[in-house]
Amino acid sequence: MRLQLPFFIVPLYFLTTAVNLAFADIQSKHTKLNFSQRALTSDANPANTALVVKKDDAHVMTGGMINGTASLEYGNLDELFDAYNKLSGDFEASEPPPGTPTNPIEQPDLIDWDKIFEQYPDLEARLGIIKDQVVSLASLFALIATEGYGKAELGLEAPFLVSTNIYGGSILFSASYTGYSKAQGILEQIQFDAEQAKNELMRIPDFDETDGIQELDLSAGLKMFYNPQNKGIKLIVTNDSLLLVKSARISKISLSYSRAQFENDYGTLYWGVKPTFYNIGMTNLGVRIGDLEDAEAIFDDIKNGDYRYQNGFDVDFGVSFSSNNYLIAGHLKNAFESDYSFPKIDRRRFNSPYVLQQLDKNEHFTLERQLTLQTALFSEDHKWSFSMEVDANPIHDPMLDEFQWLNFTAGYAADSWWLPSARVGFSRNLAGSELAYLNAGLTFMKFINLDIASTLDTVEIDKQDYMRGLSISLGVQFDY
């Protein structure tokens, strides 16, 4: 069967590269297989493949796996997309719609300025109300800037053990696909000048009914249209804040080699190397908040975006020192740190230096170097395992979210076909979102893996409560 293996792998690889999906990055470390299964996955420490093969435990299948993962994560902001849509009612469009200066009585959804000015005719009171609204708007800005995002992930991996004895070591072939997507806000700060706003409002009594509609600059990008004829008021925010949606499709194939280097009374030292070829497609879409009609639809439309595809190459290195009852290991990922770029967003619609700077920042992605340290304890029969992994440094994913995972996993591996293997764990991002996940998994009939991970925090979306983060993995493993 090994002679037929490449004919099975090649079409699988082209299938994964052709999948027309755009989801997002939540690291699949949330869903944890047991140690032996994990050692054979596509993102594992390459040194651990030879270790698992040499142990040759009865409950371990070392032929291959096919695993699929789907994940979602949202910021801690109730009604995320409604917040964007409400903001858009107060923002000036890139090209103001016809009638804006001639029909100022049409009020935004958030602020009924006619009623406010009828209730508070005094100038100082009017200024206070404007200041309160600016503070409210700025507070919503700050909340969206830190928590206003939606993310998703869809992944497929297929590692296969090609040989267990070639030049004294083992070769593992892996093909994987991960789709990434994220919606987030890039928000230009509002710095309100109350004195300037007061001076502009003091001009209102001087206007005559025949003067036509007047435009008042209240600072911080706030423009007020005033109609002397009917005393109509409309406030518009002239601000370059935008909703940015990005997506990336990462397909990779790797061929890792691992072997035992030497053995003594304390254990055996293994090393491994994994060269990886990347094919990465990236697209993005930036829409000024004033141009938004349906924020959630923009998140969906990215699936039809034009992807820029680039090829890259990188190498992982790994070492493991293991005895029958313990393991200490290190894994250096992306030693070369290859660079990739999103398509350039049209800058002609934006004037804010801050927004332009953030657009530049979000158009580049580097597969950053990261060191992961691992330790594990095993029972004498290797049915029980307790493992810990920690990333020694934080890095960024293609959506530029920072992550540095700490993972604990305990598992029981059964020998029988009818008794399932089980595992539970805890994962926490030590950087970025700092979210924590609880995870649990079962292996049925020795070859079907089901793992689920969830945060304890919830978020309200479309008036329904959902977990802030949820990840599900389903796969099969087999020998040949």
Side-chain angles (χ1 to χ4, degrees):
M1 182 164 181
R2 284 183 183 136
L3 292 175
Q4 299 175 347
L5 186 61
F7 296 98
F8 174 70
I9 291 173
V10 170
L12 174 65
Y13 171 64
F14 283 104
L15 173 64
T16 61
T17 58
V19 174
N20 185 28
L21 294 168
F23 290 81
D25 175 52
I26 301 121
Q27 291 296 308
S28 57
K29 288 184 178 181
H30 297 164
T31 50
K32 300 294 290 182
L33 301 171
N34 66 37
F35 173 80
S36 297
Q37 295 166 331
R38 181 78 179 166
L40 299 174
T41 57
S42 61
D43 64 342
N45 183 339
N48 289 340
T49 301
L51 185 158
V52 170
V53 169
K54 184 178 180 182
K55 296 295 183 184
D56 196 24
D57 294 317
H59 53 268
V60 177
M61 292 186 178
T62 56
M65 292 185 187
I66 299 177
N67 293 319
T69 303
S71 305
L72 291 171
E73 184 179 294
Y74 289 94
N76 191 21
L77 178 64
D78 292 349
E79 304 296 353
L80 168 65
F81 294 114
D82 282 350
Y84 282 111
N85 292 332
K86 288 178 181 178
L87 277 177
S88 67
D90 275 338
F91 277 68
E92 185 178 48
S94 296
E95 296 181 3
T100 296
T102 59
N103 189 17
I105 302 304
E106 292 184 3
Q107 304 300 322
D109 293 336
L110 290 180
I111 307 170
D112 190 341
W113 287 98
D114 272 346
K115 292 183 179 179
I116 289 174
F117 273 66
E118 288 175 6
Q119 186 176 358
Y120 300 96
D122 180 71
L123 182 59
E124 293 294 336
R126 294 181 181 186
L127 180 61
I129 292 298
I130 291 175
K131 289 169 64 176
D132 290 343
Q133 295 296 339
V134 170
V135 170
S136 176
L137 188 63
S139 298
L140 183 57
F141 262 37
L143 182 60
I144 289 179
T146 55
E147 298 288 356
Y149 70 91
K151 305 174 67 176
E153 171 191 343
L154 184 69
L156 176 66
E157 65 169 345
F160 296 90
L161 195 63
V162 177
S163 175
T164 60
N165 187 19
I166 181 168
Y167 295 105
S170 301
I171 292 182
L172 183 74
F173 177 93
S174 298
S176 69
Y177 166 89
T178 308
Y180 302 79
S181 192
K182 180 183 179 182
Q184 69 182 89
I186 295 180
L187 305 174
E188 181 184 358
Q189 292 183 346
I190 294 178
Q191 297 179 342
F192 184 65
D193 186 337
E195 189 65 26
Q196 178 179 335
K198 179 178 179 180
N199 291 335
E200 286 290 282
L201 291 174
M202 288 176 64
R203 297 169 54 201
I204 290 178
D206 298 331
F207 296 135
D208 187 83
E209 290 186 0
T210 61
D211 287 339
I213 294 173
Q214 303 295 315
E215 179 181 322
L216 307 179
D217 184 0
L218 305 184
S219 80
L222 276 72
K223 290 195 304 185
M224 177 177 287
F225 291 103
Y226 174 71
N227 189 342
Q229 186 174 8
N230 59 10
K231 296 181 174 56
I233 298 290
K234 182 172 184 178
L235 187 77
I236 291 180
V237 183
T238 59
N239 186 292
D240 278 343
S241 297
L242 71 146
L243 176 63
L244 177 66
V245 183
K246 304 195 297 181
S247 180
R249 302 170 178 173
I250 298 184
S251 301
K252 61 181 182 179
I253 54 174
S254 62
L255 194 66
S256 65
Y257 174 81
S258 58
R259 60 172 294 171
Q261 184 62 37
F262 71 82
E263 186 174 357
N264 59 25
D265 293 340
Y266 300 99
T268 305
L269 179 68
Y270 297 85
W271 63 268
V273 59
K274 179 167 61 179
T276 302
F277 170 79
Y278 289 91
N279 178 258
I280 299 181
M282 309 175 85
T283 189
N284 53 10
L285 179 64
V287 181
R288 290 181 73 256
I289 291 180
D291 299 331
L292 278 176
E293 296 180 358
D294 186 341
E296 195 166 2
I298 298 297
F299 189 41
D300 293 335
D301 288 346
I302 195 68
K303 291 184 293 186
N304 301 318
D306 294 326
Y307 283 78
R308 172 190 290 176
Y309 285 90
Q310 303 154 78
N311 296 325
F313 177 81
D314 225 308
V315 178
D316 290 10
F317 298 97
V319 292
S320 296
F321 187 79
S322 175
S323 74
N324 189 55
N325 300 111
Y326 69 87
L327 169 137
I328 301 173
H331 177 195
L332 181 65
K333 291 170 280 190
N334 305 320
F336 294 165
E337 294 193 315
S338 48
D339 295 318
Y340 305 90
S341 297
F342 285 87
K344 195 173 184 66
I345 291 177
D346 186 356
R347 301 293 199 272
R348 290 174 295 180
R349 294 169 291 167
F350 305 101
N351 298 305
S352 166
Y354 172 78
V355 170
L356 292 172
Q357 180 187 39
Q358 291 301 305
L359 286 175
D360 289 339
K361 177 182 176 182
N362 277 274
E363 286 179 354
H364 301 282
F365 161 59
T366 299
L367 280 171
E368 295 173 288
R369 190 180 301 115
Q370 187 177 51
L371 175 64
T372 299
L373 304 176
Q374 180 183 38
T375 183
L377 297 174
F378 308 98
S379 61
E380 285 294 328
D381 58 6
H382 273 224
K383 290 184 178 181
W384 290 96
S385 64
F386 304 89
S387 63
M388 181 191 76
E389 287 183 351
V390 60
D391 295 330
N393 62 292
I395 62 174
H396 296 84
D397 62 25
M399 305 294 103
L400 293 191
D401 290 322
E402 196 174 35
F403 64 90
Q404 181 183 9
W405 288 105
L406 171 66
N407 303 295
F408 296 94
T409 305
Y412 175 79
D415 292 339
S416 66
W417 284 83
W418 60 271
L419 181 64
S421 299
R423 51 201 166 269
V424 293
F426 171 83
S427 300
R428 184 177 183 86
N429 188 357
L430 303 179
S433 68
E434 298 185 350
L435 283 177
Y437 283 75
L438 298 178
N439 51 72
L442 292 173
T443 296
F444 305 94
M445 296 181 290
K446 295 182 70 174
F447 68 91
I448 300 176
N449 300 314
L450 175 63
D451 291 85
I452 299 175
S454 172
T455 63
L456 298 180
D457 299 336
T458 61
V459 63
E460 183 179 329
I461 303 171
D462 294 334
K463 303 189 184 305
Q464 297 289 328
D465 287 333
Y466 296 92
M467 296 298 179
R468 275 198 63 184
L470 180 65
S471 183
I472 300 176
S473 177
L474 180 64
V476 296
Q477 58 186 101
F478 48 85
D479 266 327
Y480 47 82

